[in-house]
């Protein structure tokens, strides 16, 4: 191999190397940019997912608060109506309060059914049905028709429904991850 051939080969390799380094650098930059864009897109997806999750939790909390409030109001209205009947007097005021509370609960329960998970819905639905049964029994006593159950039986139903209020609330709180207490009320819990 002559010196001029060697010089020519070295020159060709140098030019090819220079050209290839530019191409390789450009490809590396494109790959880096592509990875940056993919990473940014992944972050946006994660942020949207986290935002959706926060919104769903906030919606669930609002639904739980309204559902719990209307369950308690209906239970209180039924309890007041029971006491009035037990004392021998019941007027349109108790009936109106009972019907209004029932209607509010029905609307809130319908909304809650679209947002709350199955375990909370099962516990809440059971209590709603208990309260509606008490409502029907109180109406029988109010109308002085042949009542299916005595006022004493209704009082026991109200007490069981009170325990149901605790269970539903604790099921909601457990779903939100904000309680260590069991779903069923521990013995002596809340007793003075």
């Amino acid at each position: 191999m002559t010196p001029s051939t060697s010089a020519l080969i070295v020159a060709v390799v140098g030019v090819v190397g220079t050209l290839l380094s530019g191409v390789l650098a450009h490809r590396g930059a494109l790959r880096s940019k592509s990875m940056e864009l993919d990473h940014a897109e992944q972050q946006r997806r994660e942020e949207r997912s986290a935002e959706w999750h926060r919104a769903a939790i906030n919606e669930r909390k609002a639904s739980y608060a309204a559902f719990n409030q209307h369950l308690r109001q209906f239970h209180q209205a039924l309890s007041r109506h029971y006491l009035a009947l037990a004392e021998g007097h019941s007027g349109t005021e108790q009936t109106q309060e009972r019907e209004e509370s029932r209607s509010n609960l029905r609307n809130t329960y319908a909304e809650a059914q679209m947002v709350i998970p199955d375990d909370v819905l099962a516990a809440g639905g059971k209590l709603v049905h208990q309260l509606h049964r008490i409502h029907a029994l109180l109406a029988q006593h109010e109308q002085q028709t042949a009542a299916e159950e005595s006022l004493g039986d209704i009082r026991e139903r109200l007490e069981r429904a009170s325990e149901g209020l605790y269970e539903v609330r604790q099921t909601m709180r457990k779903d939100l991850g904000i309680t260590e207490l069991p779903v069923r009320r521990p013995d002596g819990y809340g007793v003075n």
Side-chain angles (χ1 to χ4, degrees):
M1 192 180 290
T2 66
S4 62
T5 309
S6 296
L8 182 61
I9 292 173
V10 169
V12 170
V13 169
V15 170
V16 170
T18 301
L19 292 174
L20 278 177
S21 71
V23 170
L24 292 175
H26 181 68
R27 284 190 67 202
L30 288 176
R31 190 176 332 174
S32 177
K33 186 67 173 175
S34 176
M35 288 174 62
E36 284 179 31
L37 292 173
D38 288 345
H39 180 69
E41 179 61 28
Q42 178 65 25
Q43 280 185 315
R44 282 192 294 278
R45 278 194 298 263
E46 288 172 2
E47 288 170 4
R48 279 193 304 266
S49 177
E51 185 178 315
W52 181 86
H53 183 70
R54 279 190 301 275
I57 291 294
N58 287 336
E59 183 179 15
R60 190 178 293 176
K61 282 180 185 178
S63 181
Y64 283 171
F67 188 38
N68 186 50
Q69 177 185 13
H70 289 289
L71 281 169
R72 290 181 175 284
Q73 286 174 348
F74 190 37
H75 184 266
Q76 288 173 347
L78 293 173
S79 296
R80 282 193 288 274
H81 198 180
Y82 159 77
L83 290 172
L85 285 170
E87 292 172 359
H89 52 77
S90 174
T92 57
E93 184 179 309
Q94 284 88 16
T95 304
Q96 184 177 3
E97 178 189 21
R98 193 181 77 216
E99 287 298 330
E100 186 177 311
S101 291
R102 179 175 172 245
S103 176
N104 290 338
L105 175 59
R106 183 179 55 239
N107 294 337
T108 304
Y109 183 51
E111 290 174 16
Q113 288 174 325
M114 298 298 114
V115 220
I116 63 179
D118 292 340
D119 57 337
V120 178
L121 191 59
K126 179 181 170 186
L127 180 58
V128 167
H129 293 296
Q130 286 176 335
L131 294 174
H132 283 291
R133 180 66 180 143
I134 294 168
H135 169 77
L137 292 169
L138 287 172
Q140 290 174 357
H141 279 276
E142 181 183 42
Q143 297 165 359
Q144 298 176 348
T145 60
E148 296 174 37
E149 295 183 22
S150 70
L151 285 175
D153 292 338
I154 294 172
R155 185 186 75 245
E156 289 176 17
R157 282 182 177 269
L158 282 166
E159 289 170 3
R160 284 193 304 272
S162 178
E163 290 300 314
L165 288 170
Y166 178 86
E167 289 178 24
V168 171
R169 184 186 75 227
Q170 286 307 110
T171 304
M172 291 175 188
R173 291 171 50 87
K174 185 176 182 183
D175 177 61
L176 295 173
I178 57 175
T179 187
E180 296 293 323
L181 293 173
V183 171
R184 297 216 185 271
R185 187 188 313 254
D187 291 335
Y189 181 81
V191 177
N192 293 332

